[in-house]
Amino acid sequence: MAPADYSIDANWLCRPERHDACASDQTTTIIAADGAFTREAFTPAANPAIDCFYVYPTVSLDPGENSDLLPGREELYVAQVQFARFAAQCRTFAPMYRQNTLASLRARIAGGFSPPNRQLAYNDVLAAWRSYLAHDNHGRGVVLVGHSQGAALLIRLMQEEIDGKPVQAQLVSALILGANVVVPDNADVGGSFQHIPACHAPTQTGCVISYVSFRDTAPPPPIGLFAHAYDPQTFAPIAHAHVLCTNPANLAGGSGPLHSYFFTLVTGPSAPPDFSWTTTQQPIDTPFVSTPGLVSAQCVNDGTSSYLALHVSAGANDVRTHDIPGDVRANGRILPDWGMHLIDVPEAMGNLIDIVGQQSAAYAAQHHR
């Protein structure tokens, strides 16, 4: 089947200067530990120097193995939650693509491990990327942003189209979130990528930020989908290698506070029962909430798994929630090997936006833009 035609405007979920999913409301209620509310407005950058290219995760509610190219409420929602805020730093591009659907994912979970057929999805993303480069990029720096299925597709795109190629010079950074980027032990490159290293400072460019997140009280099981280095085709373990973890709260290493932007409404089959952002159940009228100081993170490598460990540090007098949603549930049961997959992006959204801003400035200085 031929890839989608990205000269057609309707095949893009987000493009600059459109009122689309990336122009959605990002207004946030900041909740302090004492329960005080502050309203934070959002204004996109007027003339951003760089672009962001986003591939969204598995969200499609379409029936069958692959989705169509028509944006449903689920694609609009995930762009609002995971990507629209990047308009603070970049022009936003996000293609619709014929992804493997939630129905196909649930079938694979029920039947155990089997490699998904992502060729159609990849062909679309590849076509969108090439169309973007040919018609929209004009030599600008670009940040790649992807989560879960979208991140896995970006790993392949980077391997085949960017790593070691001339266009790598335009890579500001790649945010490969909720997917396993493999690196050799004691090395930054040589696994998933041969020439694109991990980011160790917010002013470093041409690098990768990647992690899979778990509660510090519920680390990954010894065998599972995330946090373990394995071949994505055969699922065979890779010796002398581990999954990359770069802490967006502290790229240099160690722990740090997460600047989260959570979606206010916690709904769906993975939502915990009777959840409220405050113990006083105060009403919130903005689409996002931010909880300064509530969650911190640190990369952990225990020898068998490598992951971003989330710690909820609400004190006894903290009137905010003493827990956060993010676990993946199926039939009312938490799936331990998925960790906090649902919030891989919003848990660190503010940190990622700040890093991209610093990387953009560094890239401009390097390229005299």
Side-chain angles (χ1 to χ4, degrees), residues 26 45 67 74 84 124 146 163 170 175 198 214 226 236 259 299 346:
Q26 297 289 299
S67 68
E74 61 270 28
D124 282 352
D163 192 6
Q170 293 172 240
L175 313 184
F214 286 76
F226 296 109
H259 184 178
C299 286

Side-chain angles (χ1 to χ4, degrees), residues 8 54 118 170 272 306:
I8 299 174
Y54 168 66
R118 288 186 174 155
Q170 293 172 240
S306 179

Side-chain angles (χ1 to χ4, degrees), residues 89-106:
Q89 306 292 357
C90 53
R91 298 194 305 170
T92 51
F93 293 84
M96 289 294 298
Y97 70 101
R98 286 167 289 189
Q99 70 167 205
N100 288 109
T101 62
L102 281 169
S104 69
L105 173 63
R106 291 176 182 130

Side-chain angles (χ1 to χ4, degrees), residues 6-320:
Y6 290 96
S7 67
I8 299 174
D9 190 69
N11 286 341
W12 290 89
L13 182 61
C14 295
R15 285 186 59 84
E17 300 178 358
R18 288 195 331 189
H19 189 75
D20 56 24
C22 287
S24 55
D25 188 3
Q26 297 289 299
T27 309
T28 302
T29 297
I30 301 173
I31 310 176
D34 64 1
F37 279 18
T38 305
R39 195 178 187 91
E40 179 185 85
F42 175 78
T43 303
N47 188 26
I50 62 170
D51 296 341
C52 289
F53 184 95
Y54 168 66
V55 185
Y56 52 86
T58 309
V59 295
S60 176
L61 297 173
D62 295 344
E65 177 76 11
N66 291 89
S67 68
D68 58 29
L69 291 168
L70 301 175
R73 62 180 183 178
E74 61 270 28
E75 287 92 358
L76 299 175
Y77 160 81
V78 78
Q80 180 181 18
V81 172
Q82 290 193 345
F83 187 55
R85 196 172 295 273
F86 281 91
Q89 306 292 357
C90 53
R91 298 194 305 170
T92 51
F93 293 84
M96 289 294 298
Y97 70 101
R98 286 167 289 189
Q99 70 167 205
N100 288 109
T101 62
L102 281 169
S104 69
L105 173 63
R106 291 176 182 130
R108 287 194 296 273
I109 291 175
F113 266 137
S114 64
N117 177 10
R118 288 186 174 155
Q119 191 61 44
L120 178 60
Y122 178 72
N123 288 346
D124 282 352
V125 171
L126 174 61
W129 171 249
R130 289 178 173 174
S131 176
Y132 158 75
L133 286 181
H135 303 292
D136 298 296
N137 177 264
H138 305 301
R140 292 163 62 91
V142 59
V143 176
L144 301 178
V145 184
H147 179 241
S148 195
Q149 179 177 172
L153 293 170
L154 282 180
I155 290 172
R156 181 177 173 187
L157 181 79
M158 291 169 66
Q159 291 170 334
E160 298 183 1
E161 299 288 312
I162 299 173
D163 192 6
K165 307 292 197 307
V167 74
Q168 184 180 333
Q170 293 172 240
L171 183 68
V172 177
S173 64
L175 313 184
I176 307 299
L177 312 175
N180 297 325
V181 171
V182 176
V183 292
D185 293 339
N186 304 312
D188 261 2
V189 293
S192 296
F193 308 120
Q194 302 305 307
H195 305 93
I196 305 173
C199 295
H200 295 293
T203 55
Q204 181 183 353
T205 62
C207 56
V208 177
I209 294 173
S210 184
Y211 56 84
V212 294
S213 52
F214 286 76
R215 297 180 185 274
D216 60 352
T217 55
I223 298 174
L225 184 63
F226 296 109
H228 305 283
Y230 61 84
D231 185 294
Q233 300 301 320
T234 66
F235 295 102
I238 300 175
H240 310 297
H242 62 277
V243 169
L244 178 64
C245 180
T246 47
N247 184 0
N250 189 347
L251 289 177
S255 64
L258 289 175
H259 184 178
S260 307
Y261 283 93
F262 296 116
F263 199 64
T264 301
L265 299 176
V266 183
T267 60
S270 288
D274 303 321
F275 179 82
S276 174
W277 288 104
T278 65
T279 56
T280 53
Q281 297 189 342
Q282 294 171 260
I284 299 170
D285 64 356
T286 61
F288 291 91
V289 297
S290 186
T291 53
L294 182 65
V295 187
S296 61
Q298 182 170 358
C299 286
V300 173
N301 188 334
D302 61 12
T304 61
S305 57
S306 179
Y307 60 98
L308 188 67
L310 307 186
H311 177 69
V312 181
S313 53
N317 297 321
D318 197 325
V319 303
R320 300 172 298 185

